[in-house]
Amino acid sequence: DDVKSRLAAKQILVPAEIEYAAELKFDGLAISLRYEKGLLVLAAARGDGEVGEDVTANVRTIALIPQRLARTDVLVLEVRGEVYMSFADFHRYNKLQEQRGGAPLKNPRNAAAGSVRQLDPKLTASRPLSFFAYGLGEVVGWEMPTYHSDVLLQLRELGFPVCDLKATAIGGNGLVTFYRRVAAQRESLPFGIDGVVYKVNDRDLQEALGEGTNYPHWALAHKFEPEEVTSVLRAIEIQVGRTGKLTPVAKIEPANVGGVTIT
């Protein structure tokens, strides 16, 4: 209803049912990749929301991110996506760290974000990071497809990993169906998500709807309720800090929450 009312306010013909691209909301670190004439020249994390954080040297170590594209005729192509760490890679890395006597990573989301923001690219390269592309920013010299769903197909043809679990949906009922389907599969996914994202599929309508202060008017995140599990409190230990401060620490029966074992 909000999308239709915004379009009507701009005197744009509104279809009876709007088509949406429905995708996963990945639980990692959002980055933008800038390619000029097919070469990766800059990778930026969100930073402070206005000025991005240059993470180019670290991103170059991620094998799934192309350094060079087959198309060199596109002057500028800004690809947006998410760096993440799969549950299997997270547990495998922590097992190796344990064998080496090193500190384990706390959870996949922080592991991905922290790895990309390392000062030493060699440390980033040592960690098993993955990537999904999900959209575009600035584009110069390329006639983009009319629909966002076709943009994703083009990105895959250019060599970017694109998640298979996505759909085009008509109207609100279609979005609810996708949400429920993803929620039912969430625990079996090999990576973390915290919801789904709905995007108006027609890029002309996206442009007509425009951008808000913090988010575009043509996209909406639908988050899941936080995961909760029940466990058993086994003991309470008292830790003594450097200054003598006493801190109680609960020791619980190990429980898996979002692919991470909490103890």
Side-chain angles (χ1 to χ4, degrees), residues 165-240:
L165 186 50
K166 60 184 184 302
T168 53
I170 304 296
N173 290 334
L175 298 180
V176 170
T177 299
F178 179 77
Y179 178 89
R180 289 173 176 168
R181 176 159 69 95
V182 172
Q185 299 180 48
R186 183 184 182 188
E187 291 188 6
S188 63
L189 292 176
F191 48 80
I193 62 173
D194 58 1
V196 298
V197 179
Y198 310 132
K199 303 173 182 176
V200 173
N201 202 25
D202 189 318
R203 292 186 50 258
D204 288 337
L205 292 183
Q206 287 184 10
E207 186 174 346
L209 287 162
E211 305 280 333
T213 304
N214 299 312
Y215 58 89
H217 292 309
W218 46 265
L220 179 70
H222 188 175
K223 288 193 173 186
F224 295 128
E225 292 295 324
E227 284 190 82
E228 294 183 354
V229 299
T230 301
S231 189
V232 178
L233 177 64
R234 293 301 185 189
I236 296 177
E237 296 180 359
I238 305 299
Q239 292 184 349
V240 183

Side-chain angles (χ1 to χ4, degrees), residues 67-259:
Q67 304 296 307
R68 181 189 296 269
L69 305 180
R71 291 192 59 169
T72 59
D73 58 318
V74 181
L75 297 179
V76 176
L77 183 67
E78 182 188 350
V79 177
R80 292 177 178 171
E82 196 95 358
V83 174
Y84 68 95
M85 187 178 291
S86 72
F87 295 138
D89 284 338
F90 172 77
H91 292 304
R92 193 179 299 116
Y93 181 87
N94 273 352
K95 188 173 182 179
L96 285 173
Q97 282 293 93
E98 191 176 306
Q99 293 171 355
R100 297 166 180 162
L105 301 171
K106 290 186 177 181
N107 59 63
R109 182 182 186 280
N110 289 350
S115 298
V116 173
R117 291 186 166 119
Q118 290 293 325
L119 296 177
D120 184 1
K122 291 180 180 178
L123 184 54
T124 306
S126 72
R127 294 181 177 177
L129 298 174
S130 298
F131 176 77
F132 277 133
Y134 54 64
L136 294 174
E138 183 183 8
V139 176
V140 180
W142 182 35
E143 186 175 344
M144 290 190 291
T146 302
Y147 298 101
H148 173 76
S149 53
D150 291 331
V151 168
L152 296 181
L153 294 177
Q154 293 278 346
L155 287 174
R156 177 172 282 167
E157 290 177 4
L158 286 171
F160 294 96
V162 175
C163 183
D164 289 326
L165 186 50
K166 60 184 184 302
T168 53
I170 304 296
N173 290 334
L175 298 180
V176 170
T177 299
F178 179 77
Y179 178 89
R180 289 173 176 168
R181 176 159 69 95
V182 172
Q185 299 180 48
R186 183 184 182 188
E187 291 188 6
S188 63
L189 292 176
F191 48 80
I193 62 173
D194 58 1
V196 298
V197 179
Y198 310 132
K199 303 173 182 176
V200 173
N201 202 25
D202 189 318
R203 292 186 50 258
D204 288 337
L205 292 183
Q206 287 184 10
E207 186 174 346
L209 287 162
E211 305 280 333
T213 304
N214 299 312
Y215 58 89
H217 292 309
W218 46 265
L220 179 70
H222 188 175
K223 288 193 173 186
F224 295 128
E225 292 295 324
E227 284 190 82
E228 294 183 354
V229 299
T230 301
S231 189
V232 178
L233 177 64
R234 293 301 185 189
I236 296 177
E237 296 180 359
I238 305 299
Q239 292 184 349
V240 183
R242 180 177 56 81
T243 61
K245 181 181 178 181
L246 303 179
T247 303
V249 178
K251 297 295 181 179
I252 64 172
E253 191 72 25
N256 187 281
V257 185

